[in-house]
Each structure stands twice: as C-alpha cells, then as structure tokens.
Amino acid sequence: MALFGNAHTIDSGEAQQEYARLLGQGEQVHAAYLLIRDTILFTDRRLILIDKQGITGKKVEYHSVPYRSITHFAVETAGTFDLDAELKIWVSGTAAPIEKTFTKGVDIYEVQAILTQFVAK
C-alpha cells in the first residue's frame, strides 16, 4: 500500500535510532509512520514531518510542529469502499491543514489517541 502513497506503521524503536539526530535530549518517539519516502514521527514533545525531496530523496526537509501549536485536528476513518483513513491537523497561523492518508491497516484511533494525549495537555 505504500506504493499508493498511504502511510503505514513503522517500529518506533527503529525510528528512534534512525532519527536520533533530530531528537532533543530525552525526547522519545511514541509512534512512527512511513509514507513512501516521507516519515511522520509523534514524539512526546512534538510532531515531526520528514519530507524527502527530489528524485534521489537526498534533499530532506524537516518540519517540527510543537503540540501546543496544533489548534485542532480531525480524523476520518476508512469506509467500505474508501479503504484509507485521513488525518488533518491545523496549526496556528496557517489556514490550510496538514493532511496525511493512512492505510486501513493503521489504527487511526491510535493516531487520534496520541494527538489527544499531547495536544490536550
């Protein structure tokens, strides 16, 4: 399903090791998702969006969104014919949400629970 551009779960421990240089001291990855070449990390401090660019993917843009900047979010569950779940996150100061699509195999309720845990603090 990753070939169709949909996210799927990756091991948070592996993501912790692979992206250790991006993390602050003591920062822990709670969940990680892979979207073809891009990665989404939910840490205990922030949301990190890793956007690999270009044909080779050697150029990488890292977006760090502190949870306190998230004004609200929405999830749309997968349906019978629409097999993908969607996540939309609105960040203060921006009109358009960040949108990510997840395969039916990803528990979108788990994603919502992670956001709720950190955004509602």
Side-chain angles (χ1 to χ4, degrees):
M1 290 300 267
L3 294 176
F4 297 108
N6 298 332
H8 63 276
T9 305
I10 57 176
D11 181 68
S12 58
E14 290 177 18
Q16 180 84 29
Q17 289 180 333
E18 184 174 346
Y19 297 105
R21 295 181 358 195
L22 296 177
L23 304 174
Q25 185 174 356
E27 186 173 11
Q28 296 294 310
V29 174
H30 283 264
Y33 300 91
L34 183 65
L35 176 60
I36 301 180
R37 297 184 310 174
D38 299 342
T39 304
I40 305 165
L41 303 178
F42 291 91
T43 77
D44 56 346
R45 300 180 189 170
R46 61 196 164 130
L47 174 66
I48 302 173
L49 304 169
I50 302 161
D51 180 16
K52 293 188 178 179
Q53 301 174 353
I55 295 171
T56 63
K58 290 189 184 239
K59 182 177 180 180
V60 181
E61 184 173 44
Y62 301 96
H63 295 269
S64 179
V65 181
Y67 291 120
R68 68 180 177 277
S69 298
I70 297 174
T71 58
H72 70 281
F73 60 89
V75 294
E76 181 179 303
T77 60
T80 303
F81 298 106
D82 180 8
L83 300 178
D84 304 325
E86 296 179 12
L87 170 66
K88 295 179 184 177
I89 300 172
W90 285 264
V91 178
S92 62
T94 61
I98 297 167
E99 297 183 48
K100 298 296 177 186
T101 303
F102 296 81
T103 62
K104 193 172 185 175
V106 171
D107 184 355
I108 196 69
Y109 295 106
E110 178 181 295
V111 174
Q112 177 179 312
I114 292 167
L115 278 170
T116 299
Q117 178 183 355
F118 296 116
V119 173
K121 282 186 176 181

